[in-house]
Amino acid sequence: MQLDFGDGDYAERLEEFKLLVTSAGAEPLAVVGGKRSSPDAALYAGKGKVDEIAEAVQLHDADIVLFNHELAPGQQRNLEKKLQRRVVDRTSLILDIFALRARSHEGKLQVELAQLQHLATRLVRGWTHLERQKGGIGLRGPGETQLETDRRLLGKRVAMLKERLKLHERQRAVRRRSRDRNDVLSVSLVGYTNAGKSTLFNALTKAGAYAADQLFATLDTTSRRLYVEGAGQIVLSDTVGFIRDLPHDLVAAFHATLEETARADLLLHVVDSASPDRDQQIRAVSAVLAEIGAGDVPQIIVWNKIDATAASPGIDRDSDEETPSSAEKEAADGHGKIARVRVSAKTGAGLDLLRSALAEIAIARKNLSAPVESSSQPYQPENQ
């Protein structure tokens, strides 16, 4: 289910929603859409549209109803009562994909924390049936409601998860100080989910990190040392992909991991150049970077998947006449700094140019002992 509120990117959001659904392991049977000026307070989609959803559910014998919107607890409860099916909103869907993808111990802790924080809002507002008092021998304390007990147990689990994540954060801080002492350039790959970050990471480092044509294939940050001719060793990190309307619970839970991005010396902002929605994706990434405190970290745009657009490999500098947009020139903040590198991680085209760009930045950093010379402001695209 997706409603059009006049934002102008309905088709792109719908395609992304279908990818989210299949990435979660579900099979889309029908899509119900519509236009509204604002969400309905009780059912989000309105009574008539919910009746249409109910007809589609019966026709296809669907097991679950998915909304590409964030639902309030009351709206979700009302919809489930009306449709007699489990209703999952966009936030819960993304959390479910994260739970499916998490591999490392820390990643699993972060996902569980995000899920519990999201569940807490449902406990407070949505689970009115839990207000019955439970007492007696072998049960919960006399006078304590089911809701109060669940809330207490949930709070204890959240506190425990946060304490464990602090331990991981301290361990990362030790490794970061070691890199700082060795004056090693720290580079993080960032970008929209499925932009090709892990494929690029593997192509540069031969790390064999998991890469697939699906959303959120990578959750756990992977770092490898990369030798760059003329500049020596740098540390390259592959990070979780971003998405528009990324749930705040996830941003909060993954704060420690995302902090690594904010502390990097340079960001390689990987963009799927073949995507018709690339400008909106770039803006979504810039918004998340600003939210986690990485908005001012120098970045270079990596224009990936040129094999799908017939573009040629190359390096664009802010002083080049061929730089595609004035926004990139403004982001470069200087004269002759590298603004964009055009590559194909899949075929390897342009990777030598990307290594040269990294070497140029690493050498400049060592020689000048100054901040990385490249774009220091978030990339703001223009329609091309």
Side-chain angles (χ1 to χ4, degrees), residues 123 127-135 139-141 143-154:
L123 280 174
W127 294 17
T128 54
H129 63 286
L130 295 181
E131 289 291 357
R132 300 185 301 271
Q133 287 210 346
K134 300 282 287 186
L139 298 175
R140 293 163 178 86
E144 185 178 54
T145 66
Q146 174 79 50
L147 174 57
E148 289 169 342
T149 302
D150 287 349
R151 190 181 297 157
R152 173 172 54 80
L153 294 175
L154 186 147

Side-chain angles (χ1 to χ4, degrees), residues 272-288:
D272 179 0
S273 64
S275 172
D277 196 32
R278 62 182 181 236
D279 286 355
Q280 292 297 331
Q281 294 176 358
I282 291 170
R283 291 189 179 96
V285 171
S286 296
V288 176

Side-chain angles (χ1 to χ4, degrees), residues 108-348:
K108 292 177 181 178
L109 291 177
Q110 290 172 319
V111 172
E112 183 182 355
L113 177 59
Q115 288 177 319
L116 291 180
Q117 289 173 330
H118 181 64
L119 176 61
T121 64
R122 269 59 188 161
L123 280 174
V124 172
R125 300 189 186 95
W127 294 17
T128 54
H129 63 286
L130 295 181
E131 289 291 357
R132 300 185 301 271
Q133 287 210 346
K134 300 282 287 186
I137 298 174
L139 298 175
R140 293 163 178 86
E144 185 178 54
T145 66
Q146 174 79 50
L147 174 57
E148 289 169 342
T149 302
D150 287 349
R151 190 181 297 157
R152 173 172 54 80
L153 294 175
L154 186 147
K156 289 177 64 175
R157 181 66 179 174
V158 166
M160 183 272 291
L161 290 173
K162 288 183 176 180
E163 189 60 36
R164 289 187 180 180
L165 287 171
K166 283 182 181 178
L167 176 61
H168 285 279
E169 188 174 355
R170 288 194 293 268
Q171 292 171 346
R172 265 199 312 276
V174 171
R175 293 194 295 268
R176 189 164 53 239
R177 285 195 296 270
S178 176
R179 289 199 303 265
D180 291 343
R181 284 196 300 269
N182 295 328
D183 196 29
V184 177
L185 181 71
S186 175
V187 181
S188 285
L189 294 171
V190 300
Y192 209 77
T193 181
N194 208 29
K197 296 182 301 301
S198 295
T199 303
L200 179 62
F201 181 76
N202 288 336
L204 289 171
T205 66
K206 313 299 181 186
Y210 179 68
D213 185 19
Q214 56 188 204
L215 302 186
F216 302 115
T218 300
L219 280 192
D220 302 311
T221 299
T222 305
S223 297
R224 292 289 186 274
R225 287 187 176 268
L226 172 65
Y227 177 78
V228 179
E229 190 170 352
Q233 299 281 353
I234 68 172
V235 173
L236 185 66
S237 299
D238 186 20
T239 60
V240 60
F242 300 148
I243 196 169
R244 57 166 65 89
D245 304 325
L246 191 66
H248 290 291
D249 289 331
L250 269 179
V251 175
F254 277 76
H255 170 75
T257 299
L258 295 174
E259 188 181 32
E260 287 290 291
T261 300
R263 293 179 178 271
D265 299 311
L266 175 70
L267 303 180
L268 294 183
H269 184 162
V270 183
V271 176
D272 179 0
S273 64
S275 172
D277 196 32
R278 62 182 181 236
D279 286 355
Q280 292 297 331
Q281 294 176 358
I282 291 170
R283 291 189 179 96
V285 171
S286 296
V288 176
L289 289 175
E291 185 176 353
I292 64 176
D296 294 328
V297 178
Q299 64 176 264
I300 291 176
I301 303 297
V302 179
W303 209 241
N304 192 26
K305 303 187 182 182
I306 60 172
D307 54 295
T309 63
S312 59
I315 294 179
D316 296 319
R317 297 176 181 269
D318 63 348
S319 59
D320 292 344
E321 293 181 1
E322 296 180 357
T323 300
S325 72
S326 59
E328 277 184 312
K329 293 180 181 179
E330 293 173 4
D333 190 26
H335 179 75
K337 305 300 188 297
I338 299 170
R340 188 166 79 174
V341 183
R342 302 188 300 275
V343 307
S344 169
K346 181 178 179 180
T347 67

